[in-house]
Amino acid sequence: MPEIFINGQAIQADGDKTVLEVAREHGQFIPYFCWHPQLSTAGNCRMCLVEVEGRGLDIACNMPVSAGMKVFTDSEEVKAHRKAILQFITLNHPVDCGICDKAGECTLQDHHYTYNGEPSVSSIPKVHATKFHDLSERILIDNERCIMCSRCVRFTNEVSKTCSLGVQERGDSSVIRASEDGRFGKDPYSDNVIDICPVGALLSKANLYKTRVWYLEPTRSVCPGCERGCSVQFWHRRAEWKLNALDQRQNTTIARVTPLDNPEVNGPWICNKGRDIAKALERPRALEAMLKGKGAGLSHAIDAARRLIAAAKSPVALVSSWGSNEELASFRKHFGSRFQSFVKTDCAAEAGEVVADNILIKPDKNPNGTAARALFGSSPPAFPAGTDLVLIWGEGCNFSVLPAGAKIIFLGSYLAPENGHADVFLPVSVQTERRGHYTNFAGVVNAFEPCFAKAPGVADAESLFAALAASVGVPA
Ligand code: SF4
Ligand code: SF4
């Protein structure tokens, strides 16, 4: 391992790494725009210039380490060049942070204040470019804000492999454009370019001007959109910025979904379905227990379900593949010997959805099928003869194939016509209201945390199973 010196600190460096990588690993920050740990090196923004004794200035992102090299990341010459680079980058930039969705998490804003902090020295009028140009149905570009780092182009070339973005024209006429065959619109990973754009050039149409990032906070979660179980952050309104009058729904809704870097599962990326998962989680909720379609108190409905369980001779349970590891264990503990239990497919791929690929997307559109199948059998082609009670936990059950005459207990979270067809309907909480773990297709266990308080009138499945088992004498 070659020994190098960064700002006087002796470092045993990995000889295959660049000065920028070694510096990052050892707590020495070097600013950059175009470099990204998961993309090839472009070296075009010049922001990571450092001084090497005896060699002068060069970019750290493309500089291999060599034994004995002495690197200075904050010398007077480096500082002067960084200022000049920031002056150059903002030469034609509109600096419209006041209305930009990226404000508050913009690398250009941060670097400008840290390393320049001065108004433009140029007296020449700025060159204007296209504002709000459609790259796809999901994404807009403000070309005036673009600093031509090329991260978005490299992402579609190297990660999503659609090669659907490129640079048109030259010099200060350069613009990022999508290929004319519409490939960018079909790229199921396209929204990752919004995250990696270091400025506010690439904008989500769904989130445009919706909120300011400083009003939001992230909660660690797991995307339930497929058995990959990508680590994500659900962003929602901070308690101290709670809306008390206008549109209070914003207090309990997911404002956006972003990836949470997890090298074991998804790296720093997620697919667009994961970005849109709030639409699935925030469908109209079932908030009232029912007996044969008529509203009932939760405790009354639990009593009715207990009586059905106590009376059944041959009960069958269809277990949710969206249940957490904790809920599955609770069901097995309380009802493992009482019900014949089979894992149900709660969600199938929707029309037009990418079913599977060799990047992230997996064919099973349920987050915890692996853990559920390890505890319970898969659904049989037909119900066992004599089935007189079916406990259905979660979505995806075709009520028309249930055995005639069998009683039905249904645990669900969303409004659906089937709720009223059950003898007992019990409303249960959703992922954003509880904590737990899912086990993905590869056996990686991943935790999710609650973002919001439980909706009034609903129960957690885990405590519901304990309550249902408690007084009917079900053997543990
Ligand atoms: S749009 Fe953003 S990511 Fe793409 S080149 Fe411009 S600044 Fe870089
Ligand atoms: S790959 Fe699967 S788990 Fe990951 S974001 Fe997409 S749908 Fe969600």
Side-chain angles (χ1 to χ4, degrees):
M1 279 194 165
E3 184 178 60
I4 69 167
F5 300 86
I6 301 181
N7 299 328
Q9 180 190 350
I11 292 173
Q12 299 301 317
D14 179 341
D16 293 332
K17 298 217 163 143
T18 62
V19 169
L20 179 57
E21 289 168 322
V22 171
R24 267 166 58 91
E25 285 168 9
H26 291 82
Q28 299 269 5
F29 183 73
I30 298 173
Y32 54 85
F33 292 112
C34 70
W35 183 81
H36 187 285
Q38 299 282 325
L39 301 174
S40 61
T41 300
N44 56 17
C45 76
R46 320 308 286 175
M47 190 64 194
C48 68
L49 277 174
V50 292
E51 188 175 354
V52 180
E53 192 177 84
R55 281 169 49 182
L57 293 170
D58 206 345
I59 51 172
C61 70
N62 205 30
M63 187 193 296
V65 295
S66 59
M69 75 194 307
K70 293 190 173 66
V71 179
F72 300 95
T73 66
D74 285 306
S75 67
E76 289 310 310
E77 207 176 344
V78 168
K79 285 181 188 167
H81 275 80
R82 269 187 202 145
K83 272 173 112 65
I85 288 161
L86 282 161
Q87 283 286 340
F88 175 72
I89 286 175
T90 51
L91 202 56
N92 293 318
H93 191 282
V95 199
D96 54 349
C97 314
I99 57 156
C100 178
D101 277 352
K102 197 81 168 190
E105 54 184 11
C106 173
T107 317
L108 179 57
Q109 214 175 29
D110 293 345
H111 287 354
H112 173 74
Y113 278 99
T114 308
Y115 302 108
N116 181 25
E118 288 176 12
S120 175
V121 293
S122 170
S123 55
I124 302 166
K126 289 179 188 267
V127 174
H128 292 290
T130 343
K131 308 287 282 184
F132 301 112
H133 172 86
D134 269 356
L135 290 179
S136 71
E137 279 184 16
R138 302 176 64 93
I139 298 175
L140 291 166
I141 186 165
D142 180 329
N143 288 106
E144 290 188 343
R145 293 181 189 154
C146 171
I147 62 168
M148 275 298 147
C149 73
S150 80
R151 278 182 170 190
C152 56
V153 176
R154 283 176 282 147
F155 175 86
T156 68
N157 287 350
E158 298 164 16
V159 180
S160 68
K161 303 218 164 49
T162 53
C163 303
S164 52
L165 293 178
V167 182
Q168 274 185 354
E169 311 300 341
R170 295 192 303 155
D172 57 16
S173 298
S174 305
V175 285
I176 298 293
R177 285 290 176 264
S179 64
E180 287 167 5
D181 57 9
R183 256 180 297 156
F184 187 59
K186 294 186 187 126
D187 184 332
Y189 298 93
S190 64
D191 285 25
N192 289 292
V193 299
I194 300 167
D195 296 337
I196 63 173
C197 180
V199 296
L202 294 169
L203 300 161
S204 160
K205 288 192 196 177
N207 295 336
L208 194 65
Y209 298 145
K210 284 276 166 60
T211 185
R212 289 311 215 164
V213 68
W214 49 87
Y215 293 144
L216 306 177
E217 64 181 340
T219 293
R220 177 200 174 110
S221 198
V222 180
C223 173
C226 81
E227 60 183 325
R228 168 74 58 179
C230 294
S231 289
V232 291
Q233 302 191 103
F234 289 159
W235 292 79
H236 48 90
R237 209 156 172 97
R238 288 178 184 276
E240 62 266 37
W241 288 107
K242 192 163 106 58
L243 293 167
N244 293 315
L246 293 171
D247 198 3
Q248 292 178 45
R249 282 169 308 171
Q250 285 189 42
N251 298 329
T252 53
T253 54
I254 297 167
R256 67 173 180 174
V257 180
T258 56
L260 183 63
D261 195 344
N262 184 343
E264 269 192 294
V265 178
N266 52 298
W269 320 119
I270 55 172
C271 78
N272 291 351
K273 180 181 181 181
R275 308 258 173 193
D276 298 340
I277 207 70
K279 283 186 202 151
L281 295 172
E282 294 176 348
R283 284 172 288 154
R285 293 287 298 282
L287 301 175
E288 189 180 26
M290 287 192 285
L291 298 177
K292 292 188 194 297
K294 291 212 170 64
L298 186 60
S299 59
H300 192 47
I302 290 173
D303 282 343
R306 282 174 180 147
R307 286 194 293 275
L308 290 180
I309 295 170
K313 289 196 170 48
S314 183
V316 166
L318 300 180
V319 175
S320 174
S321 43
W322 281 55
S324 67
N325 292 352
E326 293 78 4
E327 290 169 331
L328 293 168
S330 171
F331 188 85
R332 187 174 151 102
K333 175 182 163 197
H334 292 297
F335 293 123
S337 58
R338 178 68 178 123
F339 285 85
Q340 283 192 73
S341 303
F342 304 103
V343 179
K344 169 173 57 60
T345 299
D346 290 31
C347 290
E350 289 178 8
E353 178 179 347
V354 175
V355 175
D357 63 20
N358 57 9
I359 302 174
L360 293 178
I361 301 171
K362 301 298 289 179
D364 182 350
K365 303 305 175 190
N366 302 280
N368 217 18
T370 299
R373 285 186 293 273
L375 294 177
F376 310 101
S378 296
S379 280
F383 281 88
T387 301
D388 57 354
L389 171 68
V390 185
L391 184 150
I392 303 158
W393 171 19
E395 299 181 276
C397 176
N398 179 358
F399 273 52
S400 68
V401 302
L402 297 181
K407 300 289 184 191
I408 302 169
I409 301 171
F410 182 23
L411 278 61
S413 302
Y414 300 102
L415 284 182
E418 291 82 9
N419 302 359
H421 296 163
D423 293 278
V424 180
F425 174 78
L426 297 166
V428 291
S429 58
V430 293
Q431 182 181 322
T432 48
E433 297 168 344
R434 54 193 164 82
R435 60 170 43 85
H437 296 81
Y438 293 138
T439 303
N440 86 347
F441 73 102
V444 179
V445 177
N446 215 345
F448 58 86
E449 296 292 327
C451 318
F452 310 118
K454 206 165 49 174
V458 309
D460 285 324
E462 217 176 320
S463 49
L464 198 52
F465 298 144
L468 288 174
S471 66
V472 287
V474 173

